[in-house]
Each structure stands twice: as C-alpha cells, then as structure tokens.
Amino acid sequence: MKHLILILACIFSFHAMQAQILNKEVFSLLNLDYPGLEKVKEAYFDDKLEVAAQELLTYYRQRTGIVNPFLDLNHITISETEQKWADDALEHTFFAHNGYQPSYNYGKDINWQYWPVKDNELRWQLHRHKWFTPMGKAYWLTKDEKYAKEWVYQFTDWIKKNPLQQIDPILYEVYDVNEVTGIAENVRFAWRPLEASGRLKDQINQFTLFLNAQAFTPAFLTDFLVNYFRHARHTMDNYSQQGNHLLFEAEYVLCAGIFFPEFIEAPNWRKSGTDILNREIKKQVYADGGQYELDLGYHLGCIEIFSDALKMAQENGYGDEFPASYTETIKKMIQFSMNVYFPDYTYPCFSDARRPAPFSQIRNFQRWLKLFPENEQLRYFATQGKEGKLPDELCHAAAKTGFFTFRNGWGQDATVMILKAGPKGEWHCQPDNGTFELWFNGKNLFPDSGSYIYGGNEEVWKKRNWFRQTMVHNTLTLNNKNLETTQSVTKLWEKLPNAQVLVTENPSYEGLSHRRSVFFVDNSFFVIVDEAFGEATGIVNLHYQLCDGKVDIDKQKNLLCTRYAGNSNAVLRCFGPDSMQMVEEEGWYSTAYLQRTQRPAIAFNAVKSTPEPVRYITVIYPDKKVKKSMKMSVSVKSATGHKMAIEVNVNHKTYNLGYELE
Ligand code: MG
C-alpha cells in the first residue's frame, strides 16, 4: 500500500510549488517510524500537517549522528571566487562555466533556458547550481538572510520552471544539439542524470548550511525533501550506461541514502550506489590501476569518487559494505597516477584532460596520504620530498591501460616522456595512439593538443574536432586521416643495457598498422622508430607538435631545433625514405577550456606505393641549449618485422639499439 501511495504521489505530483505552501507528499516518502520522527508521525496522523512539518524541521535542526565528511562546520571558509559567485547570484548572474567568463545574467525573472552560446556544457552546467553552496557558505559566515532568502527563491523557481518529465533516457546521452526538440530539449539539460545526481550531493551541503535560516521554513523543507526524493529516484531510473558519469551518479545516490536515512527508500539508494561502485571498480579500472577512459583528468576524478564514497560510508558506519579489494584498487589507481605526473605535479592533456596548475595537485597526495598513511611513496609526493620514499622504479609501464613513462629522475631537471598507446577508450578518449608529452628540465616541450571544448552545435563541434584529430598529435597517420582503429598492443617493454625500450603496435587503418619503438637511450635522449606496415598505399605522415616559441627548421636536413628562452630545448631530426619531405603544419594546444595557444607543428611525409613498410627514425635530443650543427646519423642493421637492430650516432657517440620479439 505504501508503495502504491508512493507511486501515485509521484505520478500526480505537480511541480508548481510555492515556497510557502506545504508539500504534503513528503509524508508519504518518509519512514515516519524512523527514530526521532515520533512527533512528526503523531501530528501527521492527527492531520496537523503544519505541525508535522514544523516538527520535521525541528528534528533536522537537532539531528545528530549523521556525518557529512565533506563539510567541516567548525571551519567553514569562503574563497574570493566563491564570495563573488554568491554575490553575483543575488543579481541572477550565475557562474555556470569557467570557459564563459564573465558569467551571464539570467534575468530578473530567471530564464533557466537562456543559452547564449550553443555549447552543451554551458547549459548543462548551469543546472549544477555551482553558486548555491557558496551562497550557503556566505550565509553561514555572515548569517545575512539575503543569501538564504535568495537561495530559497532560486531553488523554488528552478523546481517550478524545470519540471521533470519522462523522456527517452537515450536523449540524455545526445551531444548534437539539433537532435532534441520539444519538451525533451530542456529536460535533457536540466535533468541529465549527471547533473541531477550532482545536485543530490551538493544539496546535502546546502541543506546543512542553510538549515537554521529563517527562510528555511517548514513548508520549504517539505518542498526540498520532495524535490530531493525526485532527484534520487530519477537518477536511479536513468543511470548512465557506463564510464565516469555512472560512477558519479552512484556515489551521489549513495551519499543521498546515507545522509537522508529518513526516506523510506534511503536503504535502497545506499545499496544501489554501493553495488554499482563495487561492480564498476572492477570493470572500469584495469589491473595496472588505469581507469578505462584513458583520460588523466577523469582518472583523478574516479579516484575521488571511489574514495569519497568509501569515506561517506565509513564515517557513517557502512564501511564494511566495501570489500578490502575496493580499497586496494584505489591504492593502485593512486600508484598509477604517481607514475604519470611530471615533476611539477602536472600530467599530460591526453584525451579531454586539462592541465592542472603546477603543484596544485599536491593536495591530492595529501588527501590520499590520509587514506593510506603507511604508504611512504605517497608521503614523498605529499611532502614534496621532505619525507617518505621515492618509488623504486623510474620508468614505468601500465601496459593494459597503455601509459608508458620514461624517466631519469623526479626533480625539476628530469627528463620524462609519457606515452599513450592503449585500447579503445570511449567518448573522452582521442584517436591518438602512440602520442606522447615530453618534459625536460622544467618545461613541457611537446604538450598534447588537448580538447579545447566539448560538444554543442556545428560550430562548437568543428572546434572540438580540430583538437581531436590524430594528425595534431605526436604520431603517425595515413593521408592525415584520423585513426580508424585505436587498439594498441604492447609488444615489448624492456630494460636494455643502454636503453629502456617500448614496442607498441596499433592496427591504425584498414591495411596499415603502425608500430612504434621508443628507445630512451642512456637516460638522456630518445630514438623513435615508426614503421607503417600493410597493403595500404598513400602518404604516410609522421607528426610532431612542439611547445610555443621560436624554432629553427631545416627542411633539407629534416631537422628542427628549438630556440626557447631558458634551459630547456631539443633537437629533433628524422631519418626516413628518400621521398620524405618535411612540412610545417597548423599547430595549437589547449590546456584549459576555450583557451588555446598557437605553436609550431611539423610533419614528415613519405609516399607508400607498395606493401613494403615505410620506416622513420626520429632522434629527439633534449638539452639546455641545442646546436643545429650537432652530429647525428642512424643506420638500420636489420629490420625483419620481429627483429630490429640500428646504430645511432649522436654527438660522436655510437649506440647500438635493438630487440627481438618473441
Ligand atoms: Mg589530444
């Protein structure tokens, strides 16, 4: 019967709720036998709904025992930025997205459908209400009712103007703006499960911060809770199919279930979130600790999801709902991270990742250290080397995820190449197999092109697609086309006496495979052998994208020397077929949303007219200052497909490099 009432309540609930009108639906959603709700129950069954609502508010204002580990009420602080978001919001200027600054004004009578630039993210993220929690902090710190009053107004206005209507869940995953019209047009933005579930989590903080405000009336509480219930139910009915979205949604549903145990359905929410996280951590994290979307930003995000969910559960007595293997996997993910960081704690912008500010990521290590206080390596990174121990190995392979690190040290003066060559990685992953970033002596010499923007209308897509192209990465293409298949296989990862070697192969195109062999020679420079095998014919292109700044190009010698200010430079020289030509290409890189920097980019093009493989050998020699006159030569002694032997002469030294595959 209870369930029938509940279902009917959902179907017949109307959304035109006013702040001061009590929403009695709430009493059918709560377990009135929950300890502490005795007076609420009594008043409800006496048909004194106003009293019941008042008792409910009193209950929440006095409630103890539920821990919100994400908000320390004794030490609330507000940053300058948060204060600005809170104050701007009083005028309905809402912070939706970093890429669109200054923020837009949404009108006195708020237009939640205002969409000045047809970028999906701008519209989705408006519905994340990022200014609400800052308003809560501003209220908490000043007790100025204007923040609470305005929050209640906007909260209620949002509910009224963004009714939840059922749409085909597939529409939540659509990125092309022209594909969705009618009712679904707004619903897919306002109620995408990622945003809806995010509000579940954020509203826990808002609830905590505003609960004692005058504007937080008993009637508003009933609206708040009914809306909250609807969010949890909607998220569970519309979970994303996979990936980080599903993880976020599961974490937030779990938090909802734990923070509001008074809901009849709360135990189901908690179980649903826990079950998904326990299932997905096995599916989305490879044994080497890499998250399967192959995007280091999301990799980090997923560590946070898994560990925040665990924290919420542990601090509220549900820690044993996660097995020891769950925690072990989080540890592996963190170890994976350590190995893909540059010495300034930044990481490559592969796929959709954006570059964090130098050293800003130390705080992750500090947080993780609390989770694993016995881990000496974590301690090293959390303290910037003041305490703890370095990892045992410099070079590291996460071969299943396809992230390979060549490293000669951990300090700012180190040489570090991080190369990506993994399996298919879904939406956020770019067709960039074989690409790399290279850090030398404090500078990233080959930054990834990044992503620049996500999806939207045609104009937005055009921008996104430029940055996704295979040919704007440090890898090989056929006729400058995007890779058709992204499924690299690691053939070899081995320490030779004079080099660390990686051999990775991707079946890039119909009739053309790309094998890339990277030798990190003498702990100081790189020899990259690129081979294009197969029946396909056309122009084979080998692309390199540099850092912005001056470079000297000598097309006769197939040589590039950087002329960057400071003590971080490189010589790049390519040895290839006789027909090879060096060309300059359009180059950009983006490390933040809608920000881009022009940079030099080059390609070596050679004709492939027979099934014979085309082979390029590139020497990249990083040094403080470099000379064009530097002596360099290579000769291939043997290359049979499974065996390679080359001799490289650099700076009057001879290196014999090679391997034999099994
Ligand atoms: Mg990229």
Side-chain angles (χ1 to χ4, degrees):
M1 187 61 190
K2 236 178 213 169
H3 289 287
L4 183 64
I5 293 172
L6 197 104
I7 292 162
L8 289 174
C10 293
I11 295 171
F12 293 113
S13 71
F14 290 92
H15 307 278
M17 290 171 277
Q18 301 299 316
Q20 300 305 318
I21 297 175
L22 192 149
N23 191 334
K24 66 180 178 188
E25 185 187 342
V26 73
F27 300 108
S28 64
L29 305 178
L30 296 175
N31 169 13
L32 297 179
D33 290 322
Y34 192 84
L37 295 185
E38 295 80 7
K39 288 182 184 166
V40 180
K41 185 180 178 185
E42 197 185 321
Y44 175 68
F45 283 107
D46 282 350
D47 223 11
K48 295 175 184 159
L49 298 188
E50 308 286 334
V51 178
Q54 178 60 57
E55 288 295 346
L56 189 59
L57 183 58
T58 306
Y59 161 81
Y60 276 117
R61 284 179 173 167
Q62 294 173 353
R63 188 178 77 163
T64 54
I66 307 282
V67 181
N68 172 7
F70 311 112
L71 203 63
D72 178 359
L73 286 180
N74 295 318
H75 301 95
I76 296 291
T77 55
I78 187 164
S79 69
E80 215 172 295
T81 309
E82 288 175 314
Q83 185 67 54
K84 182 171 164 46
W85 294 358
D87 290 332
D88 282 354
L90 298 175
E91 309 298 324
H92 300 176
T93 295
F94 298 144
F95 176 83
H97 197 291
N98 243 331
Y100 297 94
Q101 291 304 304
S103 296
Y104 295 104
N105 188 279
Y106 288 78
K108 193 169 188 318
D109 177 15
I110 301 169
N111 179 1
W112 296 99
Q113 299 189 28
Y114 181 52
W115 195 16
V117 179
K118 301 289 178 284
D119 174 347
N120 286 322
E121 293 302 321
L122 180 61
R123 183 114 173 240
W124 269 319
Q125 296 198 25
L126 173 70
H127 297 285
R128 293 186 191 174
H129 301 156
K130 289 178 212 171
W131 61 95
F132 275 179
T133 300
M135 283 170 95
K137 289 180 170 184
Y139 167 73
W140 180 268
L141 292 168
T142 62
K143 298 292 178 280
D144 189 335
E145 272 292 314
K146 72 178 177 191
Y147 294 109
K149 227 173 112 186
E150 185 59 29
W151 174 68
V152 167
Y153 168 77
Q154 291 177 16
F155 199 99
T156 314
D157 190 66
W158 185 89
I159 294 174
K160 193 169 69 186
K161 292 178 183 163
N162 295 282
L164 171 57
Q165 283 154 299
Q166 295 309 318
I167 64 170
D168 185 341
I170 198 78
L171 296 178
Y172 291 119
E173 316 241 346
V174 168
Y175 278 78
D176 184 339
V177 301
N178 299 316
E179 274 184 40
V180 193
T181 51
I183 294 167
E185 204 270 336
N186 187 55
V187 174
R188 83 166 177 111
F189 288 110
W191 287 93
R192 185 170 69 152
L194 181 65
E195 275 68 33
S197 65
R199 292 193 295 267
L200 278 175
K201 171 123 185 245
D202 291 343
Q203 286 173 16
I204 290 176
N205 289 343
Q206 293 152 31
F207 180 88
T208 311
L209 292 163
F210 283 121
L211 185 59
N212 289 300
Q214 282 168 33
F216 205 114
T217 61
F220 175 72
L221 173 66
T222 61
D223 262 358
F224 178 93
L225 292 172
V226 170
N227 179 60
Y228 199 81
F229 168 85
R230 187 169 291 130
H231 273 70
R233 170 62 76 81
H234 172 70
T235 304
M236 284 172 63
D237 287 348
N238 294 277
Y239 276 130
S240 297
Q241 297 291 310
Q242 61 199 1
N244 69 82
H245 286 203
L246 175 58
L247 302 183
F248 276 117
E249 291 153 14
E251 181 208 337
Y252 300 156
V253 166
L254 169 134
C255 288
I258 292 177
F259 192 78
F260 286 109
E262 302 84 5
F263 282 104
I264 294 166
E265 291 206 6
N268 297 337
W269 300 348
R270 195 182 81 237
K271 183 173 185 322
S272 168
T274 311
D275 287 352
I276 289 172
L277 292 171
N278 276 325
R279 184 188 76 213
E280 291 292 316
I281 198 168
K282 292 182 195 145
K283 206 156 108 186
Q284 297 201 21
V285 185
Y286 293 126
D288 57 29
Q291 198 259 353
Y292 76 171
E293 286 171 281
L294 311 184
D295 174 314
L296 294 171
Y298 285 105
H299 177 87
L300 266 185
C302 292
I303 295 177
E304 293 315 295
I305 293 170
F306 290 130
S307 50
D308 281 356
L310 182 65
K311 195 171 178 183
M312 185 75 181
Q314 279 173 339
E315 299 209 9
N316 287 282
Y318 303 109
D320 57 2
E321 293 181 1
F322 291 96
S325 64
Y326 180 91
T327 316
E328 209 41 49
T329 304
I330 297 176
K331 199 196 273 179
K332 271 192 208 160
M333 293 181 81
I334 293 171
Q335 270 155 351
F336 175 93
S337 284
M338 277 179 205
N339 283 292
V340 292
Y341 276 74
F342 293 115
D344 67 348
Y345 295 74
T346 59
Y347 49 75
C349 287
F350 300 144
S351 305
D352 277 342
R354 297 190 273 275
R355 185 102 57 212
F359 301 101
S360 64
Q361 300 299 298
I362 295 173
R363 60 171 184 256
N364 291 338
F365 287 97
Q366 292 167 346
R367 228 176 16 243
W368 299 335
L369 182 62
K370 284 186 192 151
L371 206 58
F372 303 104
E374 76 297 344
N375 189 312
E376 287 301 306
Q377 297 171 356
L378 262 181
R379 189 172 300 283
Y380 182 90
F381 293 102
T383 61
Q384 279 190 270
K386 290 185 194 78
E387 296 167 33
K389 263 186 8 211
L390 274 171
D392 298 333
E393 50 176 17
L394 286 164
C395 294
H396 179 84
K400 176 74 181 143
T401 309
F403 279 68
F404 302 89
T405 305
F406 302 88
R407 186 191 293 274
N408 69 1
W410 297 91
Q412 298 304 304
D413 59 350
T415 303
V416 187
M417 175 188 277
I418 300 167
L419 185 143
K420 176 175 178 278
K424 187 169 161 54
E426 304 305 333
W427 203 82
H428 290 290
C429 188
Q430 298 182 349
D432 59 1
N433 294 43
T435 199
F436 60 83
E437 285 196 357
L438 172 57
W439 165 287
F440 172 72
N441 197 27
K443 191 178 176 85
N444 196 324
L445 295 172
F446 292 79
D448 193 82
S449 293
S451 64
Y452 191 57
I453 196 168
Y454 283 12
N457 66 5
E458 208 177 317
E459 198 184 326
V460 170
W461 273 110
K462 209 176 135 193
K463 291 176 185 163
R464 176 176 179 79
N465 288 338
W466 191 92
F467 285 82
R468 279 182 67 78
Q469 295 177 96
T470 308
M471 67 175 287
V472 304
H473 292 84
N474 300 314
T475 193
L476 181 139
T477 58
L478 177 63
N479 299 324
N480 288 330
K481 284 186 305 189
N482 281 349
L483 297 177
E484 291 163 5
T485 306
T486 53
Q487 193 72 52
S488 293
V489 175
T490 307
K491 297 278 191 185
L492 186 72
W493 171 258
E494 199 171 272
K495 194 163 174 37
L496 309 175
N498 59 353
Q500 174 70 48
V501 60
L502 164 71
V503 182
T504 173
E505 197 169 305
N506 187 52
S508 301
Y509 303 92
E510 169 110 49
L512 191 103
S513 286
H514 172 208
R515 179 183 291 177
R516 171 162 269 193
S517 307
V518 181
F519 298 89
F520 181 33
V521 187
D522 224 11
N523 265 326
S524 64
F525 72 99
F526 296 88
V527 176
I528 303 174
V529 184
D530 288 292
E531 293 167 292
F533 293 98
E535 299 294 316
T537 56
I539 311 283
V540 178
N541 336 93
L542 177 61
H543 307 270
Y544 289 106
Q545 325 285 316
L546 287 109
C547 191
D548 52 310
K550 189 169 159 30
V551 298
D552 278 348
I553 289 172
D554 185 335
K555 291 182 184 169
Q556 276 356 89
K557 287 186 175 164
N558 298 307
L559 173 76
L560 179 147
C561 287
T562 69
R563 293 280 176 251
Y564 302 143
N567 290 316
S568 182
N569 282 284
V571 181
L572 183 154
R573 186 159 180 186
C574 188
F575 302 87
D578 292 341
S579 72
M580 186 176 85
Q581 288 197 322
M582 183 182 190
V583 296
E584 290 176 61
E585 299 194 316
E586 186 181 1
W588 295 92
Y589 70 97
S590 170
T591 55
Y593 206 85
L594 279 178
Q595 289 177 29
R596 58 180 187 172
T597 307
Q598 196 155 21
R599 46 99 159 259
I602 51 165
F604 300 98
N605 294 333
V607 178
K608 185 173 182 301
S609 51
T610 70
E612 278 299 296
V614 165
R615 180 178 304 109
Y616 300 95
I617 302 178
T618 311
V619 178
I620 300 178
Y621 194 96
D623 207 342
K624 290 181 179 172
K625 301 280 182 222
V626 289
K627 284 196 189 119
K628 259 172 82 173
S629 57
M630 184 177 181
K631 290 272 178 284
M632 251 187 219
S633 67
V634 302
S635 58
V636 178
K637 303 289 177 197
S638 141
T640 62
H642 69 282
K643 198 174 160 191
M644 157 95 49
I646 54 174
E647 187 185 290
V648 180
N649 291 286
V650 176
N651 258 351
H652 311 290
K653 275 194 195 169
T654 302
Y655 302 88
N656 284 297
L657 303 170
Y659 58 78
E660 197 168 339
L661 300 177
E662 287 186 1

